[in-house]
Amino acid sequence: MTGPVLFSYGFRPFFLGAGIWAVLAMLLWILSLTLGMPLGGSYDALNWHAHEMLFGFGSAVLAGFLLTAVPNWTGSLPVSGTPLIILAGFWLAGRLVFLYPDLIHFYAAIALESLFLPLLLLICAREIIAGKQWKNLKVLIGVTILTIANLIFHYSVITEGDIALASRIAVSAYVLLIMIIGGRIVPSFTRNWLNRNQKTRFPVPFNRYDAVCIIIGAFALLSWIISPETTVTLLLACLAALLHIARLARWRGWETLSEKLLVILHIAYAFIPAGFIAIALSAVDYLNAYSTLHILTVGAVALMMLAVMGRATRGHTGHALTASPLTILSYICLIASAVLRPFAEIILNYFHTILAVSALLWIAAFALFVIEYAPMLLQDRRQRSE
């Protein structure tokens, strides 16, 4: 192996960067709220916070996962060394210039920040097409939607419009990817674990029912993006919730309770139907739109990301695929944050208290991840995968 260990595989710099940024970005957001720190400059602190959670933290985890998964799918060598350093450099540059974009010029900062996702998309597309893995091209749909959502987000800020549309598009892109990729890895990992533990009943393999779940879920998300408060959205979201509850039950997650590294994947996926229920309630004005967003972002997206980062790091650095006490504690913190955060918009008398506790739980979850997994990500150990 030549060059720094950190840049030998895509998951290393991006999982480490995502964990650190999840902590720092939330701390900066708290300082902005409490001390009036001019975070984001002309971009506005609230817009900065929403953007950095969706397109800063989230895109780093996505990059780390795809740059590790795509070589496994195609049988090619992973992106490493100088190309990986350049890609990670673009991600880091985006985070730095957006702290106060006016320092280099508002539009120049936006242009620089907007380069990372298209570069990631091109790299993944090149590898998948070169490897003729046509069935995996559907994963790029989610990355493409996320790239477009980032541009719409920036445009909304520039024109002083509402960022809610771009936020819904971005969240929907992540949820779509979880429905597609999670629907592959969760039952697969579960089957492997059940087989090793001499169980005889396994998750139902991917079939037409799973395809229907993804399609209905995609239509429900599309309706939520376009018209979040309509009867069509209500009906599609209710149908999607029921279908995904049944889909999750087909994976037999209750049999994995003894291995928290695995059961957390099932818990994270459970926030998908919970999110659809929230969308349905929001459509009839029984739930605040921000509460709906946070059920999906913190519960489904961030929790699945935390679970995947830990598992992939262990699997590719030669560590045992089992959850340590620190890992379990990080799961508990983030689950608590996901459950608590939506209530900030529901129980308005305790808005700031709930917001503060939820933010601290988020920070604790990812700080624990960094404490435990940074040494693994920086170590030179034999890599393997499940």
Side-chain angles (χ1 to χ4, degrees):
M1 181 182 299
T2 59
V5 172
L6 182 62
F7 298 103
S8 63
Y9 224 115
F11 72 92
R12 291 180 181 272
F14 284 110
F15 286 175
L16 182 60
I20 293 173
W21 191 238
V23 174
L24 289 180
M26 190 61 73
L27 283 173
L28 290 171
W29 173 235
I30 292 173
L31 290 175
S32 175
L33 290 175
T34 57
L35 302 179
M37 176 188 294
L39 193 59
S42 299
Y43 205 81
D44 184 71
L46 180 59
N47 293 334
W48 178 89
H49 169 67
H51 182 274
E52 288 307 293
M53 290 295 101
L54 291 171
F55 303 104
F57 160 73
S59 68
V61 181
L62 180 61
F65 175 81
L66 289 177
L67 293 174
T68 305
V70 170
N72 287 340
W73 298 341
T74 62
S76 61
L77 292 174
V79 175
S80 61
T82 301
L84 183 56
I85 292 173
I86 293 172
L87 184 62
F90 273 106
W91 177 82
L92 180 59
R95 312 288 63 80
L96 293 176
V97 299
F98 249 49
L99 287 171
Y100 198 80
D102 306 271
L103 284 177
I104 65 169
H105 192 282
F106 187 69
Y107 293 111
I110 288 176
L112 178 59
E113 196 284 328
S114 299
L115 291 175
F116 173 70
L117 281 168
L119 286 173
L120 175 64
L121 179 61
L122 286 173
I123 290 172
C124 293
R126 182 197 66 185
E127 296 299 318
I128 291 175
I129 293 171
K132 298 181 179 180
Q133 292 290 313
W134 311 119
K135 66 178 182 179
N136 290 315
L137 280 175
K138 59 181 177 288
V139 173
L140 299 184
I141 296 173
V143 185
T144 301
I145 295 172
L146 191 64
T147 303
I148 295 170
N150 190 35
L151 296 175
I152 295 174
F153 196 105
H154 289 320
Y155 177 78
S156 299
V157 174
I158 291 170
T159 58
E160 298 184 356
D162 189 359
I163 63 169
L165 173 63
S167 298
R168 290 197 301 273
I169 296 173
V171 172
S172 295
Y174 285 122
V175 172
L176 179 63
L177 287 169
I178 292 172
M179 290 192 296
I180 295 171
I181 300 173
R184 177 189 300 181
I185 66 174
V186 177
S188 174
F189 292 162
T190 301
R191 180 183 178 84
N192 292 345
W193 187 87
L194 291 173
N195 186 53
R196 286 197 299 270
N197 286 271
Q198 300 179 336
K199 304 290 185 179
T200 57
R201 302 188 67 182
F202 302 117
V204 178
F206 188 97
N207 56 28
R208 291 181 181 177
Y209 179 82
D210 295 273
V212 169
C213 286
I214 294 172
I215 292 170
I216 297 298
F219 275 111
L221 291 170
L222 180 61
S223 184
W224 178 54
I225 291 170
I226 298 171
S227 52
E229 298 179 353
T230 62
T231 302
V232 174
T233 299
L234 168 66
L235 295 175
L236 284 172
C238 287
L239 179 58
L242 292 173
L243 289 172
H244 282 274
I245 289 171
R247 188 188 195 199
L248 182 60
R250 286 154 50 98
W251 297 341
R252 308 188 67 79
W254 62 87
E255 294 198 37
T256 67
L257 290 175
S258 62
E259 180 44 72
K260 304 304 184 288
L261 198 70
L262 183 55
V263 75
I264 191 62
L265 295 171
H266 292 265
I267 294 172
Y269 198 93
F271 276 96
I272 297 291
F276 282 124
I277 292 171
I279 288 172
L281 292 174
S282 180
V284 290
D285 203 26
Y286 283 172
L287 191 66
N288 184 282
Y290 287 107
S291 296
T292 300
L293 273 175
H294 284 100
I295 288 170
L296 287 167
T297 53
V298 184
V301 178
L303 187 59
M304 182 63 79
M305 286 179 171
L306 181 64
V308 168
M309 285 196 297
R311 186 179 187 86
T313 298
R314 287 183 172 277
H316 286 276
T317 57
H319 291 81
L321 288 174
T322 188
S324 69
L326 275 184
T327 294
I328 295 171
L329 183 57
S330 72
Y331 295 159
I332 293 171
C333 288
L334 195 54
I335 291 170
S337 178
V339 172
L340 185 62
R341 177 59 184 84
F343 285 97
E345 279 81 22
I346 297 172
I347 310 174
L348 294 178
N349 288 339
Y350 295 93
F351 176 83
H352 293 291
T353 301
I354 294 173
L355 201 67
V357 174
S358 178
L360 290 174
L361 286 167
W362 169 283
I363 291 169
F366 287 99
L368 289 168
F369 171 83
V370 172
I371 290 169
E372 180 169 11
Y373 288 92
M376 299 184 196
L377 293 166
L378 295 169
Q379 284 176 354
D380 182 7
R381 288 188 59 168
R382 178 180 61 87
Q383 295 179 347
R384 65 178 181 85
S385 61
E386 184 174 11

